[in-house]
Amino acid sequence: MSDSFDLVVIGGGPGGYAAALYAASAGLQVALVEKDALGGTCLNRGCIPAKAFLETAAVKRHVDHSADFGIGSGEATVDFAVTQARKQKIVAGLVGGIAAMCKGRKVEVFNGVGSLGADRTVTVAMNDGGSATITGEHVILASGSVPRLIPNFERGGPIMTSDEVLDLDHVPARVAVIGGGAIGCEFASTFADLGSQVTILEGLPKILPGLDADVANVVVRSFKKKRIDIRTGVMVNGHTPNDSGGTTVHFGDGESVEVDAVVVSVGRRPFADQLGLEGTGVQVSERGFVVVDELCRTGEPNVYAIGDLIDTPQLAHVGYAEAILVVKHLLGEGPMPVMYDRVPWAIYCHPEVAWAGPGEDACKEAGIDVVVGKHPYKFNSRAQIVGETEGMVKVVARKNPDGSAGQVLGVHMVGPWVTEQLSGGYLAVNWEATVDEVAEFIQPHPSLSELFGETMLSLTGRDFNG
Ligand SMILES: Cc1cc2nc3c(=O)[nH]c(=O)nc-3n(C[C@H](O)[C@H](O)[C@H](O)COP(=O)(O)OP(=O)(O)OC[C@H]3O[C@@H](n4cnc5c(N)ncnc54)[C@H](O)[C@@H]3O)c2cc1C
């Protein structure tokens, strides 16, 4: 193995492996240091396994409603051990794919814990007991994040973070989800659709804070139909385990709920714990994030940090974007910084949520005059055909001086397959297109994406489906 590289990357999650593979495709000699499995949180303990579970939940929903389509199927049963094995096969395939791509692009993978010292020297405590010392002309820190914990809820038994939930081989009958953010709502939705009695305990006044209010209301209504008990404005205090492996969670003012599993989903903290950093100018903030500028440069020359390790949206695709930005920058290509206020967001609960750009309230709070267009899926032909009519498309446009709708600022969607439909809205927001420009584009018929086109069309002041 070589010991000096154009680029050394510490951390093989979406940020790190994207940086390594993209740099290798640009002809750089790259080392990638990963202490665990390639793919990081996203592939092994995050996006991919969580969505695999959600898909099982979707199949159960379809079977439950098959009689509506004239298909008799009897009562659906869930064999979650099969779900777990299927998910693991998907994960293993994707992780193997990254390893194969690294091999194909001659990225040298070091299996061990990497720590950065002076002069861009990375010492790797190899998992096999040895050690390696390598240097990089450039170094990218991409060591990601880990679940946050809360006092009195140590992992073990019924108390789980996303890491442990994704290893379950059965569906708990009663689940408390602490935290009503994106990840918490995805787990709540999964388990409710699979037949669990789910309670969400959220300290803030509403779940999914930060979402456009109209969109969040659709999710809340739908969750209530699934009999998810949403308790907002309540703090959890502790729990009392019972003899049957479950526990009673105490919250609010003397309230409690007895459950078989607790999912602690209160966010993730950056994981700089094993990066060393002695003798370097890399700074770590009080909240644990590595401090970077808009080009992801740390305080140490030629050392960058990306992904969940820095204080930017904790999304795999943001890690990818930062990886590309950094590689372009170190190649001297003068890239534009990532525009974090316009990245695509997606929540894969049922109904799905997807958006780019600010919502109506956020625009108003920023003092921007807006015109808003909203159209519900219930009148969309494809939505009726697939039997998923909940939800809406909402477009927030800057108000022109004459009162008409101008530049598209935000596109907010909730409903069937919206995570797959956002790309047109994302493009409109980031292209800084106007409503008139986007309304020129033709959508296929019948399709769910027609609703996006119709919402744009109605914002021009004329339409035929409003
Ligand atoms: C349940 C769940 C669902 C999610 N769903 C989505 C989703 O739908 N869409 C989305 O965009 N995002 C989602 N996320 C977030 C997404 O997983 C993260 O934003 C993403 O994984 C961050 O990538 P990263 O490369 O920065 O860090 P990570 O993926 O955390 O990878 C960091 C890697 O670095 C390694 N490492 C750490 N320290 C060292 C060291 N010193 N030496 C060597 N290796 C080290 C770790 O082992 C790890 O493999 C989800 C997260 C969770 C938990």
Side-chain angles (χ1 to χ4, degrees), residues 62-71 387:
H62 293 318
V63 175
D64 286 345
H65 292 110
S66 68
D68 299 347
F69 294 76
I71 306 290

Side-chain angles (χ1 to χ4, degrees), residues 9-17 33-35 39-42 45 114 140-148 267-275 284 287-290 304-316 319 322:
V9 183
I10 303 181
Y17 77 71
V33 185
E34 170 55 59
K35 68 186 174 75
T41 303
C42 170
R45 300 173 294 280
I140 297 179
L141 307 174
S143 54
S145 63
V146 291
R148 272 186 207 283
R268 299 179 61 81
R269 72 166 179 87
F271 185 70
D273 306 22
Q274 294 179 308
L275 285 177
V284 178
R287 293 168 60 220
F289 292 106
V290 167
Y304 301 80
I306 60 175
D308 283 10
L309 182 62
I310 63 174
D311 193 4
T312 56
Q314 290 183 322
L315 294 165
E322 290 167 344

